[in-house]
């Protein structure tokens, strides 16, 4: 048998080293320790025994430092890199897109395919799309009297002019999807909710490449459990743990130049909650489908309620009709203004007669409950937000004045929470914060609760009423 000298064999194309991304996972590189004995020569003399050098086995393991180029690392504050390393801990970093979400009820898995991101994520969205052409959301064509908009040349020109606005929204939406995917990889029974929220928020900051008020988190992460419908995030010292029989609403936002993407999904592990989750998702999808230019918000609310309350659930031998929570609504979103003036009810008969208009950005969020379908404020407050319409006024209390300056500099009219004040090094701020609340400059948003023992689920998407179509910006494979 003819054996070619390895030194003369040309490597195959796939074996040629490339300046490609690091390997997906730990890989072993090893050259076996081969002993080669020279055959006897013509003179009968035996050749010397030769031994190849043994190449030590070494592992190539992806880390944040290896995934990002030196140029990219130089653009990210070192403190943020260290925080992300801490967030990821021992999680293996791979270059793959697929993620199995089958342990959740009513959440889709992320499919395999081409990806610009690692899993878990390490690369800011800006580095993935240096040309700033971010993925477009789900496109839904207008129907009925608005069908003409799809092909109208003048309206297409309006779309073109607004492209920069769309770019900000799509960047925020792509960041949101990747943060959602990461959150779904760590949201498991036994995790402390404060850890879940802080890891989500740090990943949000990293992927959107946080830059003051130009890009960052839009509002505190909600992780309301069971009968608590909204506006709960743990304060310092609250170590509530996510349980296997909990119904937890993950509600968070990302903003780029004040353009906010607001989404929410429900985490549940017990299949007995499937009918509740399916009802609420059906209601949210109904609201998105019914929304459009010149549509009355009251009509959207009526359609949502009809979809929601056509469902029922059996829990512990008792059947419950799933109710729309009548005093919670979807909402118009304005620049740096999460609740932008118009509300989208999730029940009929509210008397709201506003019409949706071209160019408006909406969050359709629906809440379904096994309780009374009505919520009230209860529990320790964590969410706050400077009043969007508050007029400048003299503040004599020096601590309150200093706190307001911090709020205006770091949050402006975006919502914030006590944990974020702690994170920034603010201390002894409780009385100062109360002073700002009492003066009407800052509004508190305590947890909103239905009756204890009930369960509330939530799903939410953000969409834009473009001149030519409706774009569901936050759509993902998960929901």
């Amino acid at each position: 048998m003819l054996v070619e000298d390895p030194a003369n064999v040309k490597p195959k194309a796939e074996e040629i080293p490339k300046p490609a991304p690091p390997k997906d996972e730990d890989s072993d590189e090893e050259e076996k320790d081969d002993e080669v004995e020279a055959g006897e020569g013509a003179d009968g003399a035996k050749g010397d025994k030769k031994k190849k050098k043994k190449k030590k086995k070494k592992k190539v393991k992806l880390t944040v430092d290896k995934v990002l180029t030196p140029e990219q690392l130089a653009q990210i504050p070192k403190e943020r890199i260290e925080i992300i390393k801490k967030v990821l801990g021992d999680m293996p970093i791979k270059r793959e897109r697929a993620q199995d979400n089958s342990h959740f009820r009513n959440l889709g898995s992320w499919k395999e395919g081409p990806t610009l991101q690692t899993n878990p994520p390490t690369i800011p969205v800006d580095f993935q799309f240096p040309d700033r052409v971010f993925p477009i959301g789900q496109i839904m064509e207008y129907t009925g009297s608005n069908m003409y908009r799809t092909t109208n040349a003048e309206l297409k020109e309006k779309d073109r002019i607004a492209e920069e606005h769309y770019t900000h929204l799509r960047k925020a939406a792509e960041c949101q999807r990747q943060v959602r995917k990461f959150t779904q990889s760590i949201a498991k029974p036994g995790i402390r909710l404060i850890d879940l929220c802080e890891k989500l928020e740090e990943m949000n900051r990293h992927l959107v490449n946080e830059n003051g008020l130009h890009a960052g988190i839009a509002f505190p992460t909600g992780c309301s459990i069971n009968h608590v419908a909204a506006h709960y995030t743990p304060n310092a010292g609250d170590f509530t743990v996510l349980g296997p029989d909990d119904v937890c609403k993950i509600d968070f936002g990302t903003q780029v130049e004040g353009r906010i993407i607001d989404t929410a999904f429900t985490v549940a592990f017990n299949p007995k909650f499937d009918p509740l989750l399916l009802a609420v998702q059906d209601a949210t999808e109904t609201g998105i489908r019914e929304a459009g230019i010149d549509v009355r918000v009251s009509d959207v609310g009526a359609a949502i309620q009809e979809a929601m309350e056509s469902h029922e659930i059996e829990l512990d031998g008792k059947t419950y009709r799933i109710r729309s929570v009548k005093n919670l609504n979807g909402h118009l979103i304005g620049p740096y203004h999460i609740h932008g003036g118009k509300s989208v009810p999730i029940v009929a008969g509210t008397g709201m007669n506003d019409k949706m208009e071209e160019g408006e950005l909406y969050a359709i969020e629906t809440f379904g409950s096994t309780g009374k379908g009505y919520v009230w404020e209860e529990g320790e407050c964590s969410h706050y937000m400077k009043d969007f319409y508050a007029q400048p006024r003299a503040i004599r209390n020096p601590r309150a004045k200093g706190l307001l300056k911090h709020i205006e500099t770091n949050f402006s009219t975006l919502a914030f929470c006590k944990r974020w004040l702690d994170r920034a090094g603010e201390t002894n701020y409780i009385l100062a914060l109360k002073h700002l609340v009492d003066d009407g400059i800052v509004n508190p948003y305590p947890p909103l609760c239905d009756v204890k023992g009930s369960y509330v689920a939530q799903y939410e998407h953000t969409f834009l009423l473009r001149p030519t179509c409706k774009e569901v910006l936050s759509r993902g494979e998960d929901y």
Side-chain angles (χ1 to χ4, degrees):
M1 184 174 75
L2 179 64
V3 179
E4 293 182 329
D5 184 349
N8 296 326
V9 178
K10 292 183 179 180
K12 296 177 184 177
E14 63 269 24
E15 294 172 343
I16 297 174
K18 302 176 184 177
K23 296 186 180 180
D24 301 0
E25 53 189 348
D26 292 357
S27 62
D28 296 341
E29 292 183 7
E30 179 180 8
E31 190 174 301
K32 289 183 179 177
D33 182 15
D34 289 334
E35 289 188 357
V36 181
E37 243 182 60
E40 293 187 10
D43 57 357
K46 193 173 182 180
D48 294 333
K49 184 185 268 190
K50 296 180 181 179
K51 193 173 184 180
K52 288 185 179 179
K53 288 184 180 179
K54 183 176 180 182
K55 195 173 184 180
K56 285 186 178 180
K57 184 177 181 181
K58 65 178 181 180
K59 288 198 170 188
V60 178
K61 184 177 181 180
L62 284 185
T63 63
V64 176
D65 297 320
K66 289 180 180 178
V67 170
L68 298 170
T69 67
E71 293 77 12
Q72 291 171 341
L73 285 168
Q75 297 177 53
I76 305 171
K78 290 181 180 179
E79 297 81 3
R80 191 178 300 158
I81 293 293
E82 293 306 313
I83 289 171
I84 285 301
K85 288 180 181 178
K86 187 175 179 181
V87 166
L88 297 180
D90 295 329
M91 296 176 74
I93 299 172
K94 301 183 179 182
R95 283 193 183 274
E96 62 182 27
R97 189 176 186 281
Q99 181 170 295
D100 182 12
N101 277 347
S102 60
H103 57 293
F104 294 113
R105 310 309 302 178
N106 203 42
L107 273 182
S109 295
W110 299 87
K111 299 180 180 65
E112 189 54 271
T115 181
L116 299 169
Q117 183 59 280
T118 59
N119 190 4
T122 57
I123 307 170
V125 172
D126 282 332
F127 297 158
Q128 297 170 52
F129 302 93
D131 56 1
R132 290 178 53 76
V133 179
F134 301 100
I136 296 172
Q138 179 194 12
I139 299 299
M140 302 177 73
E141 293 187 352
Y142 292 126
T143 59
S145 61
N146 280 324
M147 192 181 296
Y148 78 96
R149 290 177 167 274
T150 305
T151 56
N152 184 281
E154 183 181 340
L155 297 177
K156 284 186 176 181
E157 179 62 14
K158 275 189 174 183
D159 256 345
R160 190 192 65 78
I161 293 170
E163 196 60 39
E164 184 65 14
H165 171 54
Y166 300 166
T167 296
H168 296 324
L169 287 167
R170 288 170 185 158
K171 174 184 172 181
E174 181 59 23
C175 176
Q176 259 256 351
R177 273 187 291 274
Q178 295 184 20
V179 175
R180 269 196 339 244
K181 182 179 176 184
F182 168 70
T183 303
Q184 290 156 9
S185 74
I186 64 172
K188 297 174 182 177
I191 190 170
R192 298 192 311 184
L193 293 180
I194 194 167
D195 295 336
L196 178 65
C197 289
E198 290 184 343
K199 288 184 176 185
L200 182 159
E201 289 164 1
E202 293 298 353
M203 186 59 73
N204 205 351
R205 292 183 178 104
H206 177 62
L207 294 187
V208 80
N209 206 3
E210 184 182 48
N211 178 22
L213 294 173
H214 295 289
I217 302 176
F219 53 84
T221 303
C223 57
S224 306
I225 284 186
N226 301 335
H227 72 287
V228 183
H231 295 172
Y232 165 75
T233 197
N235 287 322
D238 181 345
F239 299 128
T240 303
V241 171
L242 179 63
D245 294 321
D246 285 332
V247 175
C248 180
K249 284 72 67 182
I250 305 295
D251 188 347
F252 72 103
T254 307
Q255 67 87 11
V256 175
E257 301 298 344
R259 273 61 178 186
I260 298 169
I261 298 294
D262 180 3
T263 67
F265 62 95
T266 297
V267 168
F269 308 100
N270 194 324
K272 72 179 182 180
F273 296 118
D274 286 1
L276 173 62
L277 274 58
L278 288 167
V280 181
Q281 190 168 37
D282 181 21
T284 297
E285 295 301 330
T286 297
I288 294 169
R289 186 177 62 250
E290 295 297 319
I293 296 171
D294 294 330
V295 173
R296 292 189 184 278
V297 296
S298 56
D299 293 338
V300 177
I304 287 172
Q305 184 176 24
E306 182 179 359
M308 181 85 76
E309 298 188 356
S310 65
H311 295 263
E312 58 184 27
I313 184 172
E314 183 178 328
L315 296 172
D316 302 323
K318 185 176 179 180
T319 300
Y320 299 84
R321 179 166 63 94
I322 297 171
R323 302 172 184 270
S324 284
V325 179
K326 61 185 178 182
N327 57 334
L328 290 176
N329 307 293
H331 47 92
L332 176 70
I333 302 176
Y336 298 100
H337 195 189
I338 186 63
H339 287 211
K342 295 180 184 177
S343 293
V344 183
I346 61 174
V347 293
T350 60
M352 297 181 188
N353 291 313
D354 291 322
K355 283 187 177 182
M356 295 179 165
E357 299 176 48
E358 179 187 302
E360 289 183 331
L361 182 70
Y362 280 93
I364 288 287
E365 57 181 325
T366 71
F367 297 81
S369 175
T370 63
K372 292 185 178 296
Y374 186 87
V375 294
W376 53 89
E377 296 178 352
E378 182 180 289
E380 183 182 1
C381 187
S382 56
H383 286 55
Y384 296 85
M385 184 164 61
K386 185 188 173 192
D387 192 296
F388 193 82
Y389 303 103
Q391 298 298 314
R393 66 190 73 178
I395 300 174
R396 292 186 173 84
N397 184 303
R399 280 191 175 273
K401 188 174 182 178
L403 181 60
L404 179 59
K405 183 178 180 181
H406 176 83
I407 291 168
E408 290 176 335
T409 301
N410 293 278
F411 313 123
S412 182
T413 52
L414 297 171
F416 61 94
C417 63
K418 290 178 179 176
R419 281 189 294 105
W420 294 359
L421 297 177
D422 298 334
R423 181 179 182 272
E426 292 289 325
T427 58
N428 302 319
Y429 56 77
I430 298 300
L431 290 178
L433 184 58
K434 183 179 183 302
H435 186 98
L436 295 176
V437 169
D438 292 343
D439 271 4
I441 299 170
V442 170
N443 294 323
Y445 295 91
L448 299 172
C449 305
D450 203 328
V451 292
K452 287 185 178 178
S454 65
Y455 296 93
V456 179
Q458 174 196 16
Y459 285 91
E460 178 180 21
H461 271 301
T462 299
F463 65 87
L464 178 66
L465 296 177
R466 288 170 48 186
T468 58
C469 63
K470 178 168 46 183
E471 183 175 346
V472 187
L473 293 148
S474 54
R475 182 70 74 195
E477 293 171 45
D478 50 347
Y479 71 100

